[in-house]
Amino acid sequence: MANDQTVHSNSDDPKTPLLPLQESIHRSQSFNSPLDGPKTSRSMLAVLVWVFSWWLTEAVPMPITSMAPLFLFPLFGIASADDVAKTYMDDVVALVLGSFILALAVEHYDIHKRLALNITLMFCGDPLNPPLLLLGICGTTAFVSMWMHNTPTAVIMMPVATGILQRFPTGAGQSETVNNFSKAVVLGVIYATEIGGMSTLTGTGVNLILVGMWKSYFPEAEPISFATWSFFGVPLALLMFIALWGILCLFYCSKASGNALSEYLDKTHIKRELEMLGPMSFAEKMVLAVFSSLIVLWMTRSITDDVPGWGDLFQGRVGDGSVSVMMATLLFIIPSKKGKGEKLMDWNKCKKLPWSIVLLLGAGFAIADGVRTSGLAQILSSYLNFLENIPYIAIAPAVCLISGTITEFTSNNATTTLVVPLLIQVAETMHIHPLFLMVPGAIGAQFAFLLPTSTPSNIVGFTTGRIEIKDMIKTGFPLKIIGIGIVTVLMPTLGALVFQTNGQLPTLESPVHWSN
């Protein structure tokens, strides 16, 4: 950390906040924000209440609410206008922009319709079995998410899901059964995205942060390899996936609803529509080739410490957003062969870009940085000290619950970076293997199931307009509770076997500086 600096008020400086700044600390990250304890923390808490109240009540349109940190942070002395504005164009935002351009190309050439028809044909059953169809959609999403990060997975799979739902009537003509099935499909995609990401190291950044911290704090210990994590992560994800499917079938989708849905998902009609699409055109093949190349680049940019990806060639300067935008740019260069000089994409086709999601993501990053740099995160994390007095049998659910609560208000990666180092210290005090706390803490950080702003994949589903916050809470709350129970059972059993936590305790060394 850098040395403390005093911020002097200057009425002639246009960047001087209306509310006084306390002592600030220079950071190499997003904000040069004050860390003067209670006052700034209270200000950040007030901003959180303000923004989340507007988000929950929708008193102001969500995209407008998402821009509130741009004026609230400077007014309350949490961050300067320039610094908070920079968080609205993060590498993840670039990833989303590039991914959405590719998704628009997929939609423009009806590739998502072709994939949706094939999935529907394969899983709809004869007669129509809605739970089986839902299983196929969610299973496909979870599998894709095993190899890709959650946000691009949601961006890819949501048009496929809505392509199936477009066959249903909308508005007043939509029955309750059809409406419930539509909710089940959208909820299934966003939650299957998060669950699939838990199963492999490359599925989500949280797992990679955990492995990196383990190596930093315990360099002499056996590293967690891709295979080691998969032996634990795949059974965990499979059990949670079954729980998700059961919850969705219970609340939104029953086998009896087949009669109401069969009118719109008849197998004969689906086969006829698939035949009407004809063979894939050159443009479709090229869009798929670009998309497939992007997936491979995402998967191989950074694999593990033992197997470095191609990103090492650029000394870590290239991010997933860089690749996403680069591949999206190719769509404006490659000809479509449909007309003279016509390319696969042009800017007129990009007018449907969901800027509301970009603003919502930016607000999420701004809030995550504000919570951390205002001192509010440190105050919240200090309450973890009570874990030292909790019986071992209750430690996993307690850690999962705390981590799973914090992650609803900050990013998964930020939660992991904040909580896991604290859990390492708690584990040393309790004289237990640190992975008994680190793994539940990291897994709990991925239980972002309750709010649309908890994770970008939730935002992608929420902006379809087919689900509401109450639907997410109705489904996400029992899923979170079941997930905590699964981790509680698996960690001391399968986890002890996979991570060899019953052996000699690793030696804690002074950690290197960790930055997210």
Side-chain angles (χ1 to χ4, degrees):
M1 304 291 289
N3 296 328
D4 289 348
Q5 298 175 341
T6 302
V7 178
H8 299 285
S9 178
N10 182 354
S11 59
D12 296 329
D13 186 354
K15 293 185 179 180
T16 301
L18 298 182
L19 299 180
L21 284 169
Q22 296 88 25
E23 289 187 346
S24 67
I25 187 165
H26 178 73
R27 293 198 310 127
S28 61
Q29 298 177 346
S30 301
F31 292 159
N32 295 327
S33 180
L35 288 175
D36 189 18
K39 188 171 183 180
T40 308
S41 301
R42 288 197 301 268
S43 297
M44 187 63 218
L45 185 60
V47 171
L48 275 179
V49 172
W50 184 332
V51 172
F52 278 95
S53 296
W54 275 4
W55 269 336
L56 291 171
T57 62
E58 298 186 25
V60 175
M62 187 170 286
I64 303 301
T65 303
S66 299
M67 292 191 288
L70 290 169
F71 67 85
L72 290 177
F73 281 26
L75 290 180
F76 282 89
I78 297 169
S80 71
D82 285 341
D83 287 336
V84 69
K86 290 174 184 176
T87 64
Y88 281 73
M89 186 45 74
D90 186 89
D91 182 65
V92 175
V93 177
L95 182 150
V96 169
L97 283 172
S99 300
F100 268 116
I101 290 175
L102 281 157
L104 287 174
V106 168
E107 184 178 355
H108 176 74
Y109 292 105
D110 285 333
I111 299 173
H112 68 300
K113 184 177 181 181
R114 190 184 296 274
L115 180 57
L117 287 172
N118 278 292
I119 291 176
T120 307
L121 191 62
M122 186 181 303
F123 289 100
C124 71
D126 193 11
L128 178 66
N129 187 332
L132 180 63
L133 176 57
L134 182 62
L135 179 66
I137 297 170
C138 295
T140 303
T141 303
F143 179 78
V144 172
S145 186
M146 290 175 65
W147 315 106
M148 294 173 54
H149 283 268
N150 293 351
T151 302
T153 298
V155 169
I156 290 171
M157 292 304 300
M158 195 57 69
V160 174
T162 54
I164 295 173
L165 301 182
Q166 285 173 358
R167 308 176 65 83
F168 300 143
T170 57
Q174 189 177 72
S175 67
E176 187 67 21
T177 300
V178 171
N179 184 44
N180 282 339
F181 183 75
S182 298
K183 290 180 178 181
V185 168
V186 174
L187 290 168
V189 169
I190 61 176
Y191 292 143
T193 295
E194 297 170 45
I195 291 172
M198 299 175 191
S199 58
T200 64
L201 283 185
T202 55
T204 175
V206 169
N207 296 344
L208 294 172
I209 290 173
L210 172 67
V211 171
M213 285 189 173
W214 171 253
K215 185 174 182 179
S216 296
Y217 281 83
F218 305 98
E220 302 300 323
E222 185 72 21
I224 301 175
S225 67
F226 187 96
T228 300
W229 181 265
S230 297
F231 285 137
F232 178 79
V234 171
L236 167 72
L238 181 60
L239 290 173
M240 289 204 62
F241 179 81
I242 294 172
L244 168 65
W245 182 56
I247 291 171
L248 292 176
C249 289
L250 178 65
F251 289 155
Y252 298 104
C253 175
S254 65
K255 194 170 183 178
S257 61
N259 292 332
L261 299 174
S262 59
E263 179 181 351
Y264 313 105
L265 293 173
D266 181 78
K267 257 193 169 183
T268 305
H269 294 161
I270 294 171
K271 288 180 181 178
R272 188 180 302 118
E273 288 190 35
L274 200 54
E275 291 172 356
M276 287 175 61
L277 290 177
M280 293 185 67
S281 65
F282 173 82
E284 290 179 77
K285 292 177 181 178
M286 291 308 301
V287 170
L288 276 181
V290 172
F291 222 143
S292 301
S293 300
L294 176 59
I295 292 171
V296 172
L297 290 172
W298 273 335
M299 290 170 53
T300 57
R301 182 181 68 86
S302 177
I303 305 175
T304 65
D305 290 335
D306 298 327
V307 185
W310 60 265
D312 282 8
L313 298 174
F314 300 91
Q315 289 78 47
R317 290 190 294 268
V318 176
D320 287 337
S322 310
V323 180
S324 181
V325 173
M326 180 184 72
M327 299 306 289
T329 302
L330 291 179
L331 299 178
F332 297 83
I333 299 174
I334 300 173
S336 67
K337 291 192 176 180
K338 289 197 170 185
K340 186 176 181 180
E342 184 179 341
K343 311 300 181 184
L344 292 175
M345 287 290 284
D346 57 58
W347 187 245
N348 286 330
K349 297 171 186 172
C350 295
K351 290 181 178 178
K352 293 168 61 179
L353 277 172
W355 296 108
S356 59
I357 294 182
V358 174
L359 292 173
L360 199 54
L361 276 175
F365 294 138
I367 288 172
D369 270 353
V371 167
R372 184 170 62 251
T373 60
S374 67
L376 182 59
Q378 284 75 9
I379 292 175
L380 295 176
S381 64
S382 67
Y383 290 99
L384 289 176
N385 291 334
F386 78 94
L387 290 174
E388 298 174 7
N389 302 317
I390 291 183
Y392 170 71
I393 191 65
I395 197 69
V399 167
C400 260
L401 182 61
I402 292 169
S403 187
T405 301
I406 296 174
T407 198
E408 297 292 349
F409 304 99
T410 64
S411 70
N412 299 356
N413 292 352
T415 300
T416 307
T417 307
L418 167 69
V419 171
V420 170
L422 301 172
L423 295 177
I424 292 173
Q425 302 298 329
V426 174
E428 185 183 26
T429 302
M430 297 179 66
H431 302 290
I432 63 174
H433 198 287
L435 287 178
F436 274 129
L437 303 188
M438 294 174 68
V439 173
I443 295 296
Q446 300 176 65
F447 290 168
F449 299 147
L450 300 183
L451 297 174
T453 55
S454 301
T455 181
S457 56
N458 289 2
I459 297 173
V460 172
F462 189 77
T463 51
T464 63
R466 296 180 182 272
I467 59 173
E468 301 175 3
I469 292 180
K470 63 181 180 181
D471 297 312
M472 296 188 66
I473 295 175
K474 180 180 178 181
T475 305
F477 183 75
L479 184 61
K480 187 187 287 271
I481 298 302
I482 292 173
I484 292 173
I486 291 173
V487 173
T488 302
V489 173
L490 283 187
M491 192 57 219
T493 52
L494 178 63
L497 178 64
V498 170
F499 300 117
Q500 300 179 356
T501 53
N502 292 331
Q504 185 178 359
L505 296 181
T507 303
L508 176 63
E509 297 190 8
S510 298
V512 297
H513 174 70
W514 184 270
S515 61
N516 183 18

